[in-house]
Amino acid sequence: MPLPKAELHLHIEGTLEPELAFALAERNGVPLPYADTEELRKAYLFDDLQSFLDLYYGLMAVLRTEADFEDLADAYLARAAAQGVRHAEIFFDPQAHTARGIPFATVVEGLGRALDRSEERHGVSTRLIMCFLRDQSAESAMATLEAAKPHLDRIIGVGLDSAEVGHPPSKFAAVYEAAGVLGLRKVAHAGEEGPAAYVREALDVLGVERIDHGLRCVEDPELVERLVRDRVPLTLCPLSNVRLRAVDILEQHPLPRMMAAGLLCTINSDDPAYFGGYVDDTFHAVHEALGIGPEGLRELARNSFEAAFLDGGPEEEALRARYLAEVAAYEFD
Ligand SMILES: [Zn+2]
């Protein structure tokens, strides 16, 4: 049995495996420029950001109906459960779909249907976080927040993702302020390829509660001190960092240094269909490559539940306490 954990940095669109992509393409009559799943699987071995993004956005064409989004989320939840995930806070990118003419409601209701059944079917509690594409305009983000308003019973927070450099957090100050007024939680990708200054901006200007990635905070000792002092969680994605060349090889990942500095680190799978592994695979990889032993892995699992948005009253706190007890009781073989 894998170590129980929460996954807090997972893009549902990044869980589209070649087999499901082909099945949905057939169901919807969408032609794919690949002969079969094997050829598509080879395309997943991209070696730079642009070929990843081309493939990622290209394949989204197969997602058209509520049932497609439901099947996508259900397939992820089944895999996550097998990897020890007990709680998942799942990102989705509404603009990647509305730009293709898919209504916001189709996306969120389809995902929501799978999430509604998740505890019963997979034993995984879930939350949904909608991300704004930071390479799109601030106006487009605001329009997306507006479109989300009828669906806020399904969405607990907002995030910020996609190409980071040149799109600082401050660009989205107004939409984050509006999201706060609506009672939404706030996270943002920062300090992945962008500088440590973007991490500061995400905290100071957007008021985020967690930083997604945040890898480059290590370049700024004062910032590290602040993140440690304020217990700001970082949702790191080591396998993604290697595939997208934020670090050259996993053996050079700063995770052990970051943990030793007292940062509240979590590890996650980001876009697991594309980056070579789901979250328990990531736990195994950091154990092998970085020598993080059982107690380090237990700390990462404990952090994942501490950093989860499970603070909405006594029922959620009880759920968190139950998960933390499972982590404490876990026996490594
Ligand atoms: Zn991400």
Side-chain angles (χ1 to χ4, degrees):
M1 194 188 75
L3 179 64
K5 57 185 78 67
E7 176 142 67
L8 306 177
H9 186 156
L10 180 281
H11 303 271
I12 199 64
E13 293 89 350
T15 68
L16 182 58
E17 293 284 343
E19 294 71 21
L20 184 60
F22 264 92
L24 297 181
E26 191 168 331
R27 181 155 95 191
N28 293 320
V30 176
L32 284 180
Y34 309 94
D36 51 30
T37 52
E38 205 168 311
E39 198 185 311
L40 177 53
R41 178 75 62 192
K42 281 190 191 129
Y44 278 45
L45 301 173
F46 54 82
D47 54 10
D48 61 66
L49 180 63
Q50 198 52 54
S51 31
F52 163 62
L53 291 175
D54 290 347
L55 177 66
Y56 189 69
Y57 290 112
L59 277 185
M60 279 189 207
V62 305
L63 295 164
R64 305 210 61 84
T65 67
E66 275 188 32
D68 300 339
F69 287 96
E70 182 182 2
D71 290 350
L72 178 69
D74 196 60
Y76 161 69
L77 289 163
R79 281 174 180 270
Q83 298 249 329
V85 173
R86 308 286 284 112
H87 177 79
E89 301 191 352
I90 297 173
F91 294 142
F92 72 112
D93 284 328
Q95 288 153 295
H97 309 298
T98 53
R100 304 183 286 114
I102 310 298
F104 192 103
T106 301
V107 182
V108 76
E109 289 308 315
L111 296 174
R113 272 203 258 165
L115 270 49
D116 283 346
R117 285 194 317 261
S118 176
E119 292 211 56
E120 186 190 341
R121 184 178 281 193
H122 305 293
V124 181
S125 53
T126 58
R127 301 288 184 271
L128 200 53
I129 296 174
M130 67 169 200
C131 289
F132 305 114
L133 298 177
R134 68 200 308 155
D135 44 2
Q136 307 278 316
S137 69
E139 291 72 26
S140 172
M142 195 63 97
T144 303
L145 184 65
E146 196 59 38
K149 281 184 181 169
H151 307 284
L152 292 183
D153 55 329
R154 289 215 178 270
I155 298 168
I156 60 147
V158 294
L160 190 60
D161 64 7
S162 200
E164 185 182 1
V165 174
H167 303 285
S170 53
K171 177 176 163 186
F172 298 94
V175 72
Y176 268 69
E177 197 185 336
V181 171
L182 293 171
L184 291 163
R185 312 298 291 259
K186 301 172 189 177
V187 300
H189 285 48
E192 177 191 13
E193 42 167 352
Y198 282 16
V199 176
R200 287 180 182 276
E201 246 185 51
L203 295 168
D204 293 333
V205 181
L206 303 185
V208 302
E209 300 172 77
R210 290 198 301 245
I211 298 285
D212 296 314
H213 291 297
L215 197 64
R216 290 187 61 192
C217 75
V218 294
E219 296 166 17
D220 181 341
E222 260 178 52
L223 174 61
V224 170
E225 221 170 276
R226 172 181 178 185
L227 295 169
V228 171
R229 188 188 60 230
D230 295 345
R231 300 282 291 158
V232 179
L234 306 177
T235 65
L236 300 165
C237 305
L239 296 181
S240 160
N241 294 150
V242 174
R243 288 307 301 277
L244 295 180
R245 306 274 176 86
V247 298
D248 290 330
I249 53 170
L250 191 53
E251 285 74 6
Q252 289 172 3
H253 199 281
L255 175 65
R257 270 194 289 146
M258 297 173 82
M259 291 172 72
L263 287 162
L264 205 166
C265 297
T266 68
I267 58 171
N268 306 269
S269 68
D270 206 2
D271 298 288
Y274 297 90
F275 295 154
Y278 284 77
V279 67
D280 199 54
D281 306 325
T282 307
F283 273 72
H284 282 282
V286 302
H287 172 66
E288 294 291 320
L290 296 167
I292 295 178
E295 290 318 307
L297 300 177
R298 194 190 305 277
E299 175 187 329
L300 291 167
R302 194 168 54 232
N303 287 349
S304 71
F305 291 115
E306 275 181 25
F309 290 140
L310 287 172
D311 51 3
E315 227 171 90
E316 289 195 354
E317 289 292 1
L319 187 61
R320 190 209 306 270
R322 198 180 88 207
Y323 291 148
L324 285 169
E326 283 182 36
V327 174
Y330 183 78
E331 288 180 29
F332 290 88
D333 358 280

